[in-house]
Amino acid sequence: MGLGVCESTRPAHVPGTAFVLDDATRHVDVDSRMKYDNSGPIPIILVPQPSDDLNDPLNWSIWKRDLILFILSLVSVIASTLSPLLAANTVTLSVLLHRDFTQTALLTGYHLCGVGVAGFLFVASARVWGKRHLYLLGIVLIIISSAWGGASGLNYKSLLWARIVQGIGLAPFEALVNASVGDLYFVHVSSIKSVITLILTRFKERGKRMALSNLALFGGAFFTPVVVGKITHTIGWEWSFYLIAIFSGALLPLVIFFVPETAYRRKSSLNTDYVVEDSISKTAIEKRANTSVSQPDSISNQICQSGNGRWTSQEHDPVVPSKVSFARSLLPFNGRKTDENFFKLVLRPLPLFFHPAICWACLIQGALIGWTVMIGIVLAAIFLGPPLWFDEVKTGYMYTGPFVGAILGFLVAGLLSDWSTKLMIRRNRGVYEPEFRILLVIPQLIFGCAGLYGFGITSNHVTSWFWPDFFFALEVMGMVLGAVASALYIVDAHRDIAVEAFTCLLIFKNMFSFGLTWSAYDWLNTAGISKTFYIIASVQVGVCLLSIPMYVLGKKNRAFFSRHDLLKMTHLW
């Protein structure tokens, strides 16, 4: 048992386990069959390996790829404002529409339901036909639905359907932008980096860009109510919709002309970020497991020398396609990206809800996101009465704390995930286990649960806005840490089903949040603020404690499902 992680004897090498090198000064043998980045003192293997096709996004100039990501990040900022758009306006809309708080909250609830259902379908569509058509569809739907929402006036049903369509428009950007980062950038695995963290934390190209795209989604979401409250008070709530339509309309030409298809159908042997762990031979694994971490053997040398390595079997295309014209690149479709059946891809995530690791990740990420949504929809009602008498402007300003909490959460997650993993690897004699990522749940437990308990205590008898806002910020910090922990673990431990797993997370967090919008106000009216949040916080403590068996038995779980593939058993793979 390595640092509390139970070992498994079958198979001998469990998928996800890797061996990390620690000698940055050793000589690196360059394989002529591989493509490298030679800009630094040590050649770096390009992962994934680019093809010889000029239409391969990995062969585009870095400025073109960065421009694409910049545009998608801008659209993501606008799209991320849609979910919390009504957070500061709950009381205002309840009065104007003559609806109770629950019905007003359902304007957000059904919106989230639209995101979950549409994302479920869009991920499969992106796998088959690429992402460009979905980005175009998404931004067009955002423009139409936002103009519709602003023009709905006092018609509740019209506004409700506009919110649902907004959710459908948001779905491509919530589900696919990070995947586009993977399409556009190399992982750049160097000799001193962990083989198993190829697409996560220490990239030379992907890491910073992935952080930018995530910050665009999370940062925009928490800053929105701060602005919307002031807009509502100054020029009316309708303009919060109209301004989104205007800004989205301004970005539409950029998406049309400067965001070509990023998905590319390349040979499986070139996708080394998915097949790399298969290239480590059993002999190399056993050798590394029985030696000191100071031994300067080279994982890249092992890969090149291994007869089972996928990297050593790379073949260049004998015929290189001609470069696609600019006019043709404007088409929403440019061919299938896989021969897999669309309906099988749609259904593929469903059996994974019975996979313990996926179920754990859904709870770790989705539960705190749901509690965050719940706080957002009840916040205005809590501060409506004496002694503070908050209007929509002051309610919007309450999201300043969560915005800061989200930023701090990303910073803490980045620092702790790298530091804790390297520490555990050293203590485990150079052997990396994905379960080391679960340690991030500890700060999630501390910040997230303290935030929930604290918010319940300080909001029960409100005397000041500061402490509820402070604890709301802590809760959001915990939410970000949980999202990072679950994402890191899924990709490290179950990379082969990562796309389907993230679809499960998308469905769960949105449907769980949708369910909470039905019950949040009833819970507060029945049990009171403090008791409700004590129960919620205690439930969250229980969710976090599920990480203990996941940490201890995670490797056995990986071994079991490497032998008993749920997707193959259900004939969906």
Side-chain angles (χ1 to χ4, degrees), residues 11 49 166 185 211 222 229 255 332-333 339 356 372 403 415-416 441 469 487:
Q49 286 280 289
Q166 277 188 326
Y185 298 99
F222 286 107
V255 177
F333 300 94
D339 293 325
T372 304
F403 176 72
L415 293 172
L416 288 182
V441 177
D469 200 34

Side-chain angles (χ1 to χ4, degrees), residues 215 218-219 222 401-411 473 476-477 479-480:
L215 186 59
F218 277 93
F222 286 107
F403 176 72
V404 174
I407 303 298
L408 292 177
F410 273 111
L411 293 175
V476 170
M477 280 187 68
M479 182 202 74
V480 171

